[in-house]
Amino acid sequence: MNVYTALRLADDLSSPMLDALHVWAKNPQGSTARTNNGRGGGTHGAMVRRGMVALGVDENGRAAYFLTSKAWGFLAAQYGTVRPADAGRLTLDQALAEAYPEIPAAAPRSGEVVIPGALADYLSQRTASDDETWEALDGAHRGRGRTLIINPASTRVLHVISRYAEHILAIPGAYTRATLDAARLWIKRAGHAPALMVHRFDDTASAYNGSQCRDDVRDGDVLVVESEKVVAYLRGAWPAAVTAEHGELHTLTADPRTLDDGRFADSAIRAERIATEYGFALAEYGVDAAAEAEQRFERSAYAVEAVEHAEQVEAAVETVEEAEALYAAQAVTEAEADGGTWRGKWIGEQADDALFPVDRPADQGALFAPAVREPIVARASFRPDDLAQLREKAAADREAYRAATDDKIAAECAAHGVAPSQGVADRIAARTASQAPERRVIEGVIVTHTGTAEGSTPSNASHPDVLAARAALDGLAVATMTDHHDVTDPTEDEQHVRGYLIDPRTQGRVAVYWLEGGRTVRRDQMPHGPALDCLADRLKRRGWAVEKMLRSSACVFAHRPTTT
C-alpha cells in the first residue's frame, strides 16, 4: 500500500477503530473477535465493511476473522507495524486464499501505464502534492511483481513521474541499483520531463514549501495560486511573484526578463501570460535594495547641505524642513528669472509680407523691459546640535549599508565553502568586537546565556559550521532557540517553536533537526516527518554530503563542503 492510500484510509477510521487495529495486530495471524460476524453495528462490523477484516480459516479448517492484507498494508505504511510470522500455522494470505481465492494480477489495459517496481516503491514513500498525480497513484493497482499500473488522466502525470526519475538519476549514490535501473527504464519509456512545468497550489504557504521540498519542482517552474491571485516562478531557491499580490512568496525588484542575465526570461513570460489569462494584476517592479539605500543616503546628504547653508546665511530656521525649503529657494533665485518663460523671448516668427514689420532688436525690446531682480536677504540663526545630529545619522546610514553588504558577501561565501576577502573579514571582525558586551567576572556564580538565536542555540550561533548550514538552508522555517530549551520535553512557552535546528558536531559535520511544537520529530512520524527529507534535499543541492537516513532517523547528518 502506498502512502497516499494510507492517508486517505486514516481519515476514514475513528479512534476506536485505530485502537482495535493495534490490539488485533498483536494476535496470532491477526485474528479478531467474532463479535457480530460483521453484520450490524460495532467496531468489528465497521472494519469488515471497510475491507480491513475478512473471514478466513484457521489451521483446523474452522472459520475465523483475520486482518486483511489491506489492514496490514495500512499498519505498515502508517505506523511501521509489520505482520509477525506465525510458525506452524497457515499464514494470513493462505487462510484468506482458502475462503476467498485471489484474483491474479491483471495485465495493463489500453490507456494504462506500468511503473517499474522499484520506482513505484520510491513514489509510495513520497507525498505527491499534485492532484492529478495523487489521484492516478491512489487509483493504481498492482501488476506483476512489484509494478504499479496507473491510468493517468493527462500527460502531466507522466511528466511529474519523469521529474522524480530524473531526480533519482541526478543523485546516483543515494539510491539502490534497483531504483536507478527502474528510473532509467521509466525515462526510456516515458521520456524526459519538460524543462518548464506549471504547478498549482491551494495557498502561497504550501507553494513556498512545495518549491523547497518537492522533487518535481525545479528552477524556472511556474507556481499558480488561484485562491490568492498569485502567479510566480522559482528563481533559484526563492519563489518570486510576478503579480501584484504575492502572499508568502518573494517579490521582484526589477524586470524578471533581465534579472539573472535573462536566465528565467521564459519562465517570467509564461507566468505573466498565465496571470493575464486569469485577470490578475501584474506587479510593478521597483528599485533594488542598493538603490533604495543610495537614495536614503542622498536625502540625508541633501539635508546636511541645507542645514550648512542655513548656518552660513544665518537664517532663523528651527527645523530641517525649513532649512531644506530655504536651500531650495536659494537654488531657484540663482537661476535666470526668465529661464524657460516668455520673458525676453520673441513672440514668434513673422511672415515676410506682414502689414507692420517689426525691427526685432529695437521694437520688440521696447515691448519687454528687462526684469529687475532684487537680491533676497535672509537672516537666520542655527543650532549646531541639529547639524551634529544630521551628520551622525548620515554616518550611521553609511555604516549600516556597509555592514549589510559585508554580511551578505560573507553569507554567500559561506554557502559555497569559501572565505570572504580580507577587507570584508576585517570589517566584520571589528564590528563584532565593538558590539560585544564587556565581560564581567563574577566569582562563585555560574553565568548562563539568557538570549535567543535562530537555527541553533545561542551558544552555537557563531560556530562556522552553523553559519554555513544556515546559509545553505536560507528561506526555510527556522526555530528560535534558547540554551535551556529541552527538545524532548518543552515547556508550555516553548511549544510554539517550529523550524530547523542545527547542532554542530566535529570536523564540519552537523546534525539538523526539525521541531514541531518545540519537539524533534522522526522521519517516520506523520505528517511532519518528511520535513527531514526536505532538509536533506536542500543540503544536497547546496553541495553538502548527506548521510543516509533510516526510517526512524530523528535528524539529518551532513558534512560541510570542503574548499578546493
Side-chain angles (χ1 to χ4, degrees):
M1 177 181 296
N2 56 49
V3 69
Y4 315 106
T5 305
L7 291 174
R8 176 169 289 184
L9 285 175
D11 293 335
D12 191 41
L13 299 178
S14 63
S15 296
M17 297 179 189
L18 293 175
D19 294 338
L21 272 179
H22 289 295
V23 172
W24 293 334
K26 300 176 182 179
N27 295 337
Q29 298 184 352
S31 62
T32 66
R34 298 183 57 185
T35 54
N36 51 26
N37 293 334
R39 298 178 177 86
T43 300
H44 190 273
M47 299 300 282
V48 171
R49 288 189 293 274
R50 285 166 173 77
M52 306 292 277
V53 175
L55 184 64
V57 293
D58 61 10
E59 60 180 352
N60 299 319
R62 291 176 301 200
Y65 281 87
F66 301 91
L67 293 180
T68 64
S69 299
K70 179 180 180 181
W72 284 115
F74 170 78
L75 288 169
Q78 192 75 353
Y79 302 102
T81 303
V82 181
R83 186 185 67 202
D86 294 314
R89 311 186 67 152
L90 292 176
T91 64
L92 180 62
D93 292 337
Q94 292 172 336
L96 293 177
E98 291 185 16
Y100 302 96
E102 274 191 338
I103 300 175
R109 298 183 293 271
S110 176
E112 294 183 331
V113 179
V114 179
I115 303 176
L119 180 59
D121 295 340
Y122 171 82
L123 293 174
S124 68
Q125 300 172 3
R126 295 294 181 272
T127 303
S129 301
D130 181 76
D131 291 339
E132 291 186 33
T133 306
W134 195 97
E135 292 175 0
L137 293 175
D138 186 55
H141 60 276
R142 285 291 181 183
R144 295 181 178 87
R146 303 193 335 265
T147 61
L148 197 64
I149 301 177
I150 63 173
N151 190 359
S154 67
T155 57
R156 173 178 174 78
V157 177
L158 306 182
H159 293 161
V160 171
I161 298 177
S162 294
R163 281 283 182 93
Y164 282 105
E166 291 169 353
H167 172 76
I168 292 172
L169 297 176
I171 317 175
Y175 301 99
T176 63
R177 177 67 177 272
T179 306
L180 294 172
D181 291 341
R184 294 190 187 96
L185 180 59
W186 174 267
I187 294 297
K188 182 179 179 180
R189 292 176 177 175
H192 287 276
L196 191 156
M197 292 183 63
V198 179
H199 308 276
R200 304 181 185 279
F201 298 90
D202 296 332
D203 51 64
T204 51
S206 60
Y208 200 115
N209 293 335
S211 69
Q212 307 297 308
C213 303
R214 282 174 46 177
D215 296 338
D216 60 319
V217 181
R218 296 182 184 170
D219 289 356
D221 282 359
V222 177
L223 315 176
V224 180
V225 184
E226 188 175 355
S227 62
E228 299 184 29
K229 299 182 179 181
V230 176
V231 181
Y233 69 92
L234 186 56
R235 180 191 175 198
W238 300 274
V242 301
T243 50
E245 301 292 336
H246 60 86
E248 299 295 328
L249 308 185
H250 297 277
T251 57
L252 294 167
T253 58
D255 190 343
R257 296 173 181 80
T258 59
L259 282 174
D260 306 300
D261 297 327
R263 176 185 172 190
F264 300 109
D266 293 340
S267 302
I269 294 173
R270 180 75 175 275
E272 290 180 346
R273 184 184 302 122
I274 293 175
T276 303
E277 292 173 354
Y278 277 107
F280 300 160
L282 297 178
E284 296 181 0
Y285 309 114
V287 298
D288 57 19
E292 292 180 354
E294 184 176 354
Q295 292 177 1
R296 288 196 301 269
F297 175 74
E298 291 177 353
R299 289 195 294 268
S300 299
Y302 181 81
V304 172
E305 293 176 358
V307 173
E308 291 178 344
H309 170 71
E311 182 181 19
Q312 292 172 359
V313 299
E314 298 182 353
V317 295
E318 297 182 356
T319 63
V320 177
E321 288 77 10
E322 292 178 358
E324 291 179 347
L326 178 63
Y327 191 52
Q330 177 64 23
V332 172
T333 58
E334 291 177 355
E336 289 293 334
D338 58 355
T341 67
W342 56 267
R343 187 181 299 279
K345 303 295 182 182
W346 297 101
I347 295 177
E349 296 293 336
Q350 292 184 341
D352 295 337
D353 58 350
L355 183 60
F356 299 102
V358 177
D359 185 3
R360 295 177 180 177
D363 296 333
Q364 184 157 340
L367 291 176
F368 301 100
V372 178
R373 298 195 303 270
E374 296 181 358
I376 298 177
V377 179
R379 300 185 182 279
S381 61
F382 175 73
R383 293 186 300 177
D385 293 343
D386 292 339
L387 178 59
Q389 184 179 1
L390 290 172
R391 287 175 175 169
E392 290 176 1
K393 185 178 184 303
D397 288 344
R398 287 193 296 268
E399 187 66 24
Y401 174 69
R402 169 56 66 186
T405 303
D406 289 344
D407 291 341
K408 183 177 181 180
I409 294 174
E412 290 290 337
C413 292
H416 294 85
V418 298
S421 64
Q422 189 62 40
V424 172
D426 292 343
R427 285 194 296 270
I428 292 177
R431 188 173 73 251
T432 304
S434 63
Q435 294 175 350
E438 182 180 357
R439 295 181 179 271
R440 295 185 303 164
V441 178
I442 306 176
E443 296 183 358
V445 177
I446 300 177
V447 181
T448 58
H449 199 292
T450 59
T452 61
E454 292 188 343
S456 69
T457 58
S459 58
N460 294 327
S462 60
H463 196 285
D465 294 338
V466 172
L467 296 177
R470 285 218 58 198
L473 299 173
D474 180 38
L476 301 183
V478 56
T480 301
M481 301 296 298
T482 62
D483 278 329
H484 54 77
H485 188 143
D486 185 354
V487 296
T488 61
D489 186 20
T491 63
E492 183 177 353
D493 294 336
E494 296 169 344
Q495 292 179 3
H496 69 282
V497 177
R498 176 181 182 272
Y500 66 81
L501 167 64
I502 303 169
D503 183 21
R505 299 305 170 92
T506 58
Q507 299 179 349
R509 184 171 182 255
V510 298
V512 185
Y513 299 85
W514 184 263
L515 271 60
E516 285 288 344
R519 299 176 183 269
T520 57
V521 298
R522 298 193 342 170
R523 188 185 180 200
D524 57 357
Q525 184 178 345
M526 292 296 176
H528 304 297
L532 292 175
D533 293 303
C534 297
L535 296 174
D537 182 69
R538 168 61 75 83
L539 291 171
K540 288 178 184 177
R541 293 187 183 184
R542 296 297 172 87
W544 287 62
V546 178
E547 299 179 12
K548 184 177 180 180
M549 290 190 293
L550 303 176
R551 288 178 58 86
S552 60
S553 294
C555 68
V556 178
F557 287 108
H559 297 264
R560 182 178 177 182
T562 57
T563 58
T564 56

